[in-house]
Amino acid sequence: MPEGPEGDRWVGHTANLASTRPNFTQQARSTAFLDTATGMVVYRDQTHHLELGSQSAADILQAVFHTIPEGVERIYITAGDPWHSDAGRYPFLRDAVAAWLNAPIPGWRTDTGRGKDRMAGHFVHARHPVGRYQREGADQHVEIRSVGEWFDPEGVDATTIRDAFVLLWKALRAHWPDAVIMGSPSQTGRDLWTRTIPARGQFSEGYPVLSEELRGLLHATAGQGRTELITPPDVPEQLPALVEYDRTFAYAKHTWKSPVGTPRRITAAIFASWSEKEQTKALFGCGHWQVRVTVPDGWNHVGILPAPAPGERAWHYPRTPGTTFTTWAGGPEVYTALSNPLASWKVEILDGLLWEDGKPLDDWSKKLKEAWASLSAQADLHGDPTHRQAAHLASRAVRSLLLYGIGSFAQRPRTVTGTTPPHAERDIPADAEIIGFDDDHVT
């Protein structure tokens, strides 16, 4: 972080930008569930068998709307992966998926969005694409997407999957009266979170968003889990025991305290001026610290603090005695190194960011945990095996809401590939790179 006014500018939030509680209810979309392997489609309490021809998007839309009222706005594919049907002709799955999405459909065109959702287009993904279509000359919109975004549907029929979504909706409605299941778990998870932003009190105007520089710093210097392979001779050839932890829903435990608001910058001089009690309190607060670390002499254990792996976008954990490195770390990690009972590490605080403690995720995750527990109990105890299976899938969907909801908060800038008709070219973002152009589509 730079010194002086430039550094002060970093330690702030983006002007006129906050995460705010919505003043509207999401629109529920009428949904059908289609197994393209068997042709079975489930809509509300009705089940039909369709002839899907080549399983193209054109065949799917024609068959579905020949059988089901035109009110259907979302078709979840539960099995069959029709976008892979011609994969043998292409070097990469993404190419096959893009060709499937972009194939012409008589009477339909690529949906370019409605309301604030401009330039909807198709989302090209190798496993879980989203096709968005609009009927020519009509205000009818429909999307085709994979239910695999929510849970693994393998071996489960479309009726049970539809029952799982009904159970999911009921479990969420018990905690959010205005809950609506959106297309993906990340969209739904974020929407539900915004509905837990306080309506009164300190953050009733929303949570301020950090400066772009601080967000970049945190993305670059704050990893998630620790991944490390330790091999002989550092561990014996024969391990004394093997312990496995079930961390299926572990993210739910890591949401009980989080930083909120604008941080204070804690320079090395400020930190050194504090008493030991004040330093310890700061390290156990919501902080992020730049430190210079030396592994102590005689150290014969795993490394404690992460360091950037040379030449890689990854972390390693230096543990060779005498090694000195500079890194960013969380306060509890720093405290563990300073107070280690085997040997105290030498740690010099160079810079730091200290936020106010808050619970911006607490209400959200508590409600999701209760929904998950309720569905898990049904999956274990209900007398009907079909209901048990549906409840199990619904509990997995709740896990996805929390997991992908948090993942979307931490999302790095990334490249996404989409398509849109040439007549919607004005809606293409100014910084987009056009990688394909013909009479029918811009990619």
Side-chain angles (χ1 to χ4, degrees), residues 328-397:
W328 286 83
E333 292 178 297
V334 173
Y335 183 82
T336 299
L338 284 168
S339 61
N340 197 272
L342 297 180
S344 177
W345 288 41
K346 180 182 177 183
V347 180
E348 179 186 358
I349 301 288
L350 303 177
D351 211 342
L353 297 163
L354 189 61
W355 283 265
E356 179 184 343
D357 291 0
K359 294 184 176 181
L361 299 174
D362 200 53
D363 190 27
W364 175 71
S365 64
K366 181 181 177 182
K367 291 178 177 182
L368 289 179
K369 281 185 279 190
E370 290 175 358
W372 180 79
S374 168
L375 291 166
S376 295
Q378 293 182 55
D380 290 337
L381 302 173
H382 201 279
D384 181 356
T386 302
H387 186 103
R388 288 202 304 270
Q389 188 175 42
H392 170 70
L393 292 178
S395 73
R396 300 298 290 178

Side-chain angles (χ1 to χ4, degrees), residues 124-197:
V124 183
H125 186 280
R127 302 287 176 187
H128 305 304
V130 182
R132 299 184 177 100
Y133 305 96
Q134 180 178 357
R135 194 182 287 276
E136 293 279 8
D139 189 31
Q140 182 183 357
H141 305 258
V142 64
E143 62 181 18
I144 300 175
R145 59 194 312 150
S146 168
V147 84
E149 294 179 84
W150 291 87
F151 45 70
D152 181 4
E154 186 173 357
V156 184
D157 64 75
T159 302
T160 304
I161 289 174
R162 188 254 178 192
D163 292 345
F165 274 86
V166 172
L167 290 174
L168 171 65
W169 179 77
K170 289 180 178 178
L172 295 177
R173 278 286 170 124
H175 302 284
W176 284 276
D178 54 355
V180 169
I181 297 177
M182 301 173 71
S184 71
S186 63
Q187 288 175 315
T188 310
R190 279 180 299 181
D191 180 68
L192 294 176
W193 174 72
T194 62
R195 296 174 193 281
T196 63
I197 294 174

Side-chain angles (χ1 to χ4, degrees), residues 81-99:
D81 295 340
W83 37 79
H84 293 162
S85 58
D86 217 11
R89 294 178 51 198
Y90 298 89
F92 302 104
L93 274 181
R94 282 171 60 91
D95 296 338
V97 170

Side-chain angles (χ1 to χ4, degrees), residues 410-433:
Q411 200 170 72
R412 272 67 167 168
R414 62 196 177 110
T415 300
V416 296
T417 303
T419 67
T420 191
H423 65 74
E425 188 176 352
R426 65 186 182 279
D427 293 335
I428 297 175
D431 57 350
E433 177 189 0

Side-chain angles (χ1 to χ4, degrees), residues 33-41 50-57 59-61 63-64 75-85 100 144-145 156 158:
F33 298 84
L34 173 63
D35 181 338
T36 59
T38 64
M40 179 188 205
V41 65
L50 309 180
E51 291 295 331
L52 297 177
S54 65
Q55 297 190 359
S56 66
D59 289 339
I60 289 172
L61 292 178
V64 167
I75 301 171
Y76 274 124
I77 303 300
T78 65
D81 295 340
W83 37 79
H84 293 162
S85 58
W100 188 89
I144 300 175
R145 59 194 312 150
V156 184

